[in-house]
Amino acid sequence: MIDIQLIGLLNATLQAATLLFIAALGELITEKSGILNLGVEGMISIGAVAGFMTAINTENIFLAILIGVLSSSIFASIHALVTVVLKQDQTVSGLILTILGLALSSLLGKNYVGRKLVTKLESVTSISEPTNIVEVLISQNIIFYIAVLLMISTSLILKKTMFGRRLEAVGEDSKSSDSMGLKVAKTQFIATCVGGAFAGLSGVYLTLSYVPYWTDNMTSGRGWIALALVIFGGWKPYRTALGAVLFGFLEALVPRLQTYGFELSPYIVKITPYVITILVLVILTIYKGGKTGAPKNIGVPFFRENR
Amino acid sequence: MAIFIGSIILLIQDKSPIDTFSLMLRLSVGSVNSLSASLNKAIPLILAGLGISIINSVKLWNIGAEGQIFLGAIAVNFIYINTQINSPSIHIFVLLVAGFVGGSLCILIPAITKVVFGVNEIITTLLTNYIVFGVTIFLINGPWKDPKSLNFPAAAYVGEEVFLPTIIGKLSFGFLICILFTILAHYLKNKSVFGFEMRIAGGSAMTAVYAGINAKQKAFIAMLIGGGFAGLAGAIELLSQTHRVSTGISQGFGYTAIIVAAITGMRPLGIFLVGSLFGALSIGGSVIQTIGVSAYIADIIQASTLFGALIIQFFFTYQIKKVEND
């Protein structure tokens, strides 16, 4: 017999993890190309609001997903334009992207606050109250399975395909890559937009399924956690997924602590993931002698003229 | 460009752009009271921005100013609760120092992990924001919770004797501290031996070795000083604005400060000017809500100004020059 509460916890963990993981995976791809995008929080908001508005107005859930993903991707292209084409500072541009994304999504979603979604993103099977682990795993909605698929395919693409190897080469050493005839700017531009698209999918998951309504700042720092996850995962898709499950577990655990009779303050539990991430970073750096898996050229603009 | 985008958004919402902008201008800098409100808002932006620019001298980033502001305020409250000083001026001075130390403490772990282990400081300073914010929430809901503040969790107010005095109108004494620290940062970065050593340490590891400069030590000290600047901002915010520890100590000042520091090219005097401008913009943004214009528009205008600034910077850096051929 497995405790029904435990099943609920597992279900909530998977959902929280999915949300974090998709955005983190997108950022991973962007960072692999050597572009740091601190605008994840803003991109998730844009995807979330665009998806929600489409769902309310058209009641077509797949169109909503599509619009959410596309609008975030287009939004991310601002960052690509400023950092890849105009070679400006990536930290600054990413932070502005967050501010712009949060403000723009609040403005767009102003008339949608409190509106109820008619067509919510439902589970792929007809199980609404899972009672065992297998049922939890088969009762998620479509985006969960897309996320699993994306995890496997991203790992394969990065390791096995020409595009993946080129992406990594550009992020590691853009100058040599350019000498080898790789198109640095084009690769980085695409990687940034793909990262935006993933963040958009994460945003759509947030408003169409995780909390099916719209309020201001509803991303509540998840974009920043996604950034931390990439580092936690050492720029590897599977380890990032593991980190997402851990962070998702802690997020799911906090509201349930009291029912289990723990006296631990929920506020302290909330900061543990960040403390763990710092510890993991330190341990990784010590053991691997500075090789945390970070792309070498991250944050460094590429000037062909200075080569 | 920003005004253009702002105008379009306003027109869509059936509001006259000219009226709105002139109202924003009038309510942010039009009178002594509104000007002092704007400058008060600028204080944390400028101080945290200066801290970021000092840390950038050794080519390191500080994304953790937000957390440093909060820990500065927490340190002030901690010292306030646990000490008994009779002279108000000495008391205020001690509390301001406490804020500075609090900010330094906040960046201590990122500084150690950077210098000793080489862990990326962008990430660790970013993570400390969440840790400190979590600690703040814990304190104001737990040990420091003011029973009189029922629905809004916050610590108890500090006594009136430690409030920072005002100079003109509502302008806080903190603004004088701000001017002093701007000059100090300018001197430290550009005129002092330490500033020169910091630039070498950040510029080239080999040069630093040849010149006998301990690059790690410089980086460590620069980070502690920079963190302290942001902590001081938190102390001033507590002693002059909120008068108690709450989540309202900083409204994203630490993040805006990064942008202020970056678009001025990390120049202290520039940070002072642009920080003041941003203070005015945010006051202007919050007052236009009263005429039914959404406050997000101010954020959008701000963000597009910044993107505009980045794009202009590009065209200044890479001008096409005509070269005469013989």
Side-chain angles (χ1 to χ4, degrees), chain A residues 36 38 41 78-79 81-82 85-89 91-97 99-100 102-104 106-107 110 216 221 223-225 227-228 231 235 265 267-268 271 273-275 277-278 281-282 285-286 290 298 303, chain B residues 9 13 61 63 109 113 117-120 122-124 126-128 130-135 137-138 141-142 255-256 258-259 262-263 292-294 296-297 299-300 302-304 306-307 309-311 313-315 317-318:
Chain A
L36 176 71
L38 295 182
E41 184 90 354
I78 300 177
H79 184 68
L81 177 76
V82 172
V85 180
L86 301 180
K87 325 277 184 207
Q88 295 302 312
D89 193 282
T91 313
V92 180
S93 170
L95 284 170
I96 307 173
L97 203 67
I99 297 176
L100 186 63
L102 288 175
L104 205 59
S106 298
L107 185 72
K110 209 172 54 174
D216 284 357
W224 298 110
I225 299 182
L227 277 164
I231 299 140
W235 288 265
S265 164
Y267 310 109
I268 296 300
I271 64 174
Y274 305 109
V275 178
T277 309
I278 292 185
L281 274 180
V282 172
T285 325
I286 296 171
I298 194 151
F303 295 90
Chain B
I9 298 168
Q13 295 202 328
W61 279 100
I63 315 289
I109 288 177
T113 53
F117 306 118
V119 180
N120 184 327
I122 295 184
I123 308 304
T124 46
L126 176 67
L127 292 173
T128 50
Y130 291 97
I131 297 173
V132 173
F133 194 70
V135 170
I137 303 270
F138 167 71
N141 280 289
Y255 296 110
T256 314
I258 300 169
I259 297 166
I263 61 168
V293 178
S294 161
Y296 312 121
I297 289 176
D299 276 348
I300 293 173
Q302 190 179 335
S304 17
L306 294 166
F307 272 129
L310 286 182
I311 292 167
Q313 218 162 36
F314 171 76
F315 287 109
T317 325
Y318 305 103

Side-chain angles (χ1 to χ4, degrees), chain B residues 23-228:
Chain B
L23 189 74
M24 266 177 85
L25 200 65
R26 199 151 44 86
L27 292 178
S28 58
V29 292
S31 71
V32 175
N33 265 345
S34 53
L35 186 64
S36 56
S38 295
L39 291 180
N40 280 338
K41 217 31 166 222
I43 296 170
L45 295 178
I46 295 170
L47 280 173
L50 292 172
I52 290 160
S53 83
I54 289 172
I55 296 177
N56 194 262
S57 303
V58 284
K59 292 286 172 296
L60 295 178
W61 279 100
N62 174 22
I63 315 289
E66 185 81 357
Q68 289 142 22
I69 291 172
F70 273 104
L71 204 64
I74 289 175
V76 168
N77 202 40
F78 179 78
I79 297 295
Y80 176 78
I81 293 171
N82 291 303
T83 53
Q84 205 44 267
I85 295 169
N86 289 326
S87 156
S89 51
I90 296 176
H91 203 171
I92 290 177
F93 180 74
V94 168
L95 293 179
L96 290 175
V97 173
F100 193 94
V101 174
S104 297
L105 275 180
C106 184
I107 205 172
L108 189 62
I109 288 177
I112 292 173
T113 53
K114 176 75 204 179
V115 172
V116 180
F117 306 118
V119 180
N120 184 327
E121 80 290 350
I122 295 184
I123 308 304
T124 46
T125 49
L126 176 67
L127 292 173
T128 50
N129 287 344
Y130 291 97
I131 297 173
V132 173
F133 194 70
V135 170
T136 311
I137 303 270
F138 167 71
L139 285 172
I140 60 178
N141 280 289
W144 285 357
K145 189 172 167 48
D146 183 9
K148 275 175 269 173
S149 171
L150 296 170
N151 293 322
F152 183 69
Y157 285 102
V158 294
E160 250 177 70
E161 74 278 5
V162 292
F163 285 12
L164 274 183
T166 51
I167 321 168
I168 314 156
K170 285 187 223 145
L171 184 60
S172 153
F173 180 74
F175 196 69
L176 287 185
I177 303 178
C178 209
I179 294 173
L180 179 72
F181 271 75
T182 306
I183 297 167
L184 211 65
H186 176 72
Y187 178 80
L188 184 73
K189 265 183 76 107
N190 301 326
K191 305 267 186 260
S192 73
V193 177
F194 183 70
F196 178 70
E197 289 176 337
M198 281 200 299
R199 257 176 292 151
I200 292 188
S204 157
M206 286 318 285
T207 316
V209 172
Y210 290 136
I213 294 167
N214 186 343
K216 288 187 167 179
Q217 183 203 26
K218 302 294 169 233
F220 189 74
I221 296 173
M223 284 179 92
L224 291 195
I225 296 176

